[in-house]
């Protein structure tokens, strides 16, 4: 039986449009001082039910993001204004799940809008899958950079870490993981067999592409959202290859239009 995928709504984050779209607002000779543009991006998680287990894809923003959990300068840039209205237990409950239903967590990466709910699994034996390169990089960045999108308080818990190594492999019945570095060194995507309502496979690419514009229209993400441009380009090629071979639906990280449509696609 094919896995079943459910959308978990975690609210909306607001950022400068130049982050997800490189040079979206650009000074010109005729308009040397263009107005900055702030854009909304949905934050969501996914619950993937397989015959073996129930997986949670990402854990979203910490509910106290705007109350000091995120450093003020970071919250000023990445403003998740309703994080407190969508804590993970409540968001799961709205979709018919409880924390106790989750058999394993898959962290695509450990940025502040993706790893802020990990505290819900502290002190438990629930496995938390994350790429080895991501876990190492997150700790390094969190203690060496004042502008890092890693908040140590998100992931520095007593968690049952299960590091992933290499380029990809089996994760659960009907679910494989793939290493997609570029946005971060250890970004991980999932390939879910028959996860769409029309029977297509899903490629959950996450922040490989903030939106369809990055993947379908060829607009790279801004420099501050890319750890490595060459790695990102190689990862895009890898996803395109999987998409072509499997006729899959690619799910992006924060695309408003796609997220609005996901309940009908999953």
């Amino acid at each position: 039986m094919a896995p079943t995928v459910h959308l978990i709504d975690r609210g909306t984050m607001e950022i400068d449009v130049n982050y997800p779209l490189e040079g979206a607002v650009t000074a010109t000779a005729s308009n040397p001082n263009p107005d900055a543009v702030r854009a909304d991006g949905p934050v969501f998680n996914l619950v993937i039910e397989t015959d073996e287990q129930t997986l949670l894809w990402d854990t979203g923003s910490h509910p106290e993001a705007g109350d000091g959990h995120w450093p003020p300068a970071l919250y000023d840039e990445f403003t998740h204004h309703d994080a407190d209205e969508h804590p993970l237990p409540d968001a799961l409950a709205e979709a018919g799940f409880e924390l106790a239903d989750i058999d394993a967590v898959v962290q695509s990466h450990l940025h502040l809008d993706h790893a802020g709910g990990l505290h819900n699994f502290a002190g438990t034996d629930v496995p938390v899958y994350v790429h080895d390169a991501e876990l190492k990089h997150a700790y390094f960045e969190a203690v060496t950079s004042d502008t890092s999108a890693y908040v140590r308080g998100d992931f520095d818990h007593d968690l049952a870490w299960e590091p992933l190594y290499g380029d990809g492999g089996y994760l659960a019945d009907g679910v494989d993981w793939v290493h997609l570095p570029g946005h971060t060194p250890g970004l991980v995507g999932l390939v879910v067999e028959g996860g769409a309502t029309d029977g297509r496979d899903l490629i959950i690419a996450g922040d490989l592409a903030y939106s369809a514009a990055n993947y379908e229209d060829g607009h790279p993400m801004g420099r501050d959202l890319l750890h490595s441009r060459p790695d990102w380009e190689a990862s895009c090629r890898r996803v395109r290859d999987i998409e072509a071979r499997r006729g899959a639906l690619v799910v992006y990280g924060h695309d408003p239009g796609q997220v609005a449509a996901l309940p009908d696609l999953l």
Side-chain angles (χ1 to χ4, degrees), residues 11-246:
T12 302
M13 183 173 62
E14 185 182 78
I15 66 172
D16 189 300
V17 73
N18 284 300
Y19 280 102
L21 294 175
E22 182 180 70
V25 179
T26 304
T28 63
S30 60
N31 185 18
N33 298 297
D35 291 334
V37 177
R38 298 275 284 176
D40 287 338
V43 177
F44 67 94
N45 307 141
L46 298 170
V47 170
I48 304 168
E49 293 183 284
T50 76
D51 291 337
E52 297 176 332
Q53 55 186 314
T54 298
L55 307 174
L56 175 65
W57 165 260
D58 279 347
T59 57
S61 301
H62 195 283
E64 297 178 3
D67 294 321
H69 184 78
W70 289 8
L74 276 176
Y75 189 78
D76 199 38
E77 292 183 70
F78 306 99
T79 310
H80 195 162
H81 51 81
D82 61 352
D84 60 332
E85 300 175 19
H86 300 272
L88 181 59
D90 292 355
L92 285 171
E94 289 179 6
F97 296 94
E98 300 178 356
L99 285 170
D101 296 326
I102 304 303
D103 297 310
V105 176
V106 184
Q107 279 295 149
S108 65
H109 61 306
L110 295 173
H111 275 171
L112 73 179
D113 54 323
H114 293 263
L118 281 172
H119 64 275
N120 291 284
F121 301 97
T124 75
D125 60 358
V126 175
V128 178
Y129 293 99
V130 67
H131 200 280
D132 169 68
E134 184 69 13
L135 189 57
K136 292 175 180 176
H137 182 72
Y139 270 103
F140 178 82
E141 281 281 306
V143 300
T144 61
S145 173
D146 293 333
T147 60
S148 170
Y150 296 102
V151 174
R152 184 170 178 173
D154 283 341
F155 51 82
D156 194 14
H157 301 292
D158 176 20
L159 295 164
W161 294 112
E162 289 286 346
L164 301 170
Y165 300 93
D167 293 329
Y170 174 89
L171 193 63
D173 188 26
V175 183
D176 291 336
W177 68 273
V178 289
H179 185 205
L180 300 173
H183 175 57
T184 70
L187 185 74
V188 164
L190 295 182
V191 180
V192 183
E193 294 181 10
T197 53
D198 60 5
R200 282 185 292 171
D201 294 345
L202 295 178
I203 305 172
I204 305 172
D207 279 7
L208 170 79
Y210 195 91
S211 70
N214 304 128
Y215 182 79
E216 297 176 19
D217 302 332
H219 298 297
M221 292 192 290
R223 181 183 62 186
D224 289 342
L225 284 187
L226 289 180
H227 176 262
S228 168
R229 178 73 169 268
D231 285 345
W232 177 77
E233 291 175 347
S235 292
C236 286
R237 289 193 295 271
R238 184 177 190 188
V239 171
R240 292 185 198 285
D241 178 65
I242 298 171
E243 178 190 19
R245 285 189 290 108
R246 303 181 71 140

